[in-house]
Amino acid sequence: MCIGDRAGAVDFRGARWLAASPANYRRADRPDDYAVDRVVIHVTQGSYASAVRVFQDPGHGAAAHYVVRADGQVTQMIRELDVAFHAGNRAYNERSVGIEHEGFVERASSFTDAMYAASARLTARICGRYGIPADREHIIGHAEVPGTDHTDPGPHWDWDRYIRLVRRARSGRA
C-alpha cells in the first residue's frame, strides 16, 4: 500500500522529503505488520523549522510522519510503512499516521486556510490508502490518545471544518 518503500520516496505526492532520525521511529512493513486505522493530529508548539530540527535529533525520541507548514507545504519525515514515535502510546504509534502542524495550540491564527486545506488532502489520501473512515473516531487529536498528557491540537483547531474538508478531498471535490 505504501509507496514510500525506499529512502526519500514520499507517500503523498507533492510532499517534500526530509528524513527524521532513525532513533525517532521503528522500521516496519505496515499495514502488513500492523493495521493502520487512525490519523493523529498534532500541533508543534513551535515553528516548522523547530519541528524538523527536533525530529532529526536522535536524542529527541519522537517524530511524526508528516509536518504541515502554515503555508500548506507538506514535509514527510518518516515513511508511512514505518512506526513513528509520535503518539506517546505504543499501540497507537503502531496503528496510526501522525501529522504535525506548525503553530501553537493557544493561537487561533496558527491554523491557516492553506494549512487546513493541505492537511485535509493529506489525511484524505491516508484514509483512502488504508480504508480509514473520515470521521472523528478515526481522525483524532493527540490529546485523545490514551495515556498522554498532551493538549494538542487544542481549542482553536476547528474539527468540524477539518472533517468536512477531509471528506470533500476524499470525494474528489477539493
Side-chain angles (χ1 to χ4, degrees):
M1 291 242 196
C2 177
I3 61 172
D5 58 358
R6 64 188 185 286
V10 294
D11 298 301
F12 181 69
R13 189 177 42 168
R16 174 182 180 197
W17 175 260
L18 287 174
S21 169
N24 296 330
Y25 67 92
R26 182 173 75 245
R27 290 192 54 80
D29 189 16
R30 300 186 318 167
D32 291 338
D33 292 348
Y34 308 99
V36 177
D37 66 0
R38 297 267 187 284
V39 176
V40 178
I41 302 299
H42 302 265
V43 174
T44 63
Q45 285 302 97
S47 69
Y48 165 84
S50 67
V52 168
R53 187 171 40 257
V54 298
F55 291 171
Q56 291 179 325
D57 177 357
H60 184 63
H65 293 91
Y66 295 96
V67 182
V68 181
R69 285 191 327 212
D71 66 3
Q73 172 63 51
V74 175
T75 299
Q76 184 169 2
M77 300 196 70
I78 298 170
R79 301 173 311 160
E80 288 178 18
L81 60 79
D82 292 328
V83 176
F85 304 153
H86 67 96
N89 175 313
R90 182 179 177 147
Y92 273 69
N93 285 342
E94 290 171 348
R95 63 195 265 204
S96 65
V97 173
I99 305 174
E100 280 283 355
H101 296 81
E102 173 179 38
F104 297 88
V105 298
E106 67 277 2
R107 293 185 197 158
S109 62
S110 291
F111 310 123
T112 66
D113 292 341
M115 175 186 285
Y116 274 118
S119 180
R121 285 190 302 273
L122 171 59
T123 296
R125 293 297 287 276
I126 293 165
C127 289
R129 193 169 8 264
Y130 300 105
I132 301 169
D135 61 29
R136 284 289 285 123
E137 183 180 336
H138 297 89
I139 303 169
I140 65 171
H142 193 187
E144 297 167 289
V145 174
T148 65
D149 62 357
H150 288 261
T151 61
D152 57 312
H156 299 294
W157 184 261
D158 187 340
W159 280 109
D160 291 337
R161 176 185 183 192
Y162 189 68
I163 296 299
R164 193 170 48 252
L165 288 169
V166 171
R167 288 178 178 157
R168 187 176 302 146
R170 186 125 185 235
S171 71
R173 293 180 295 157

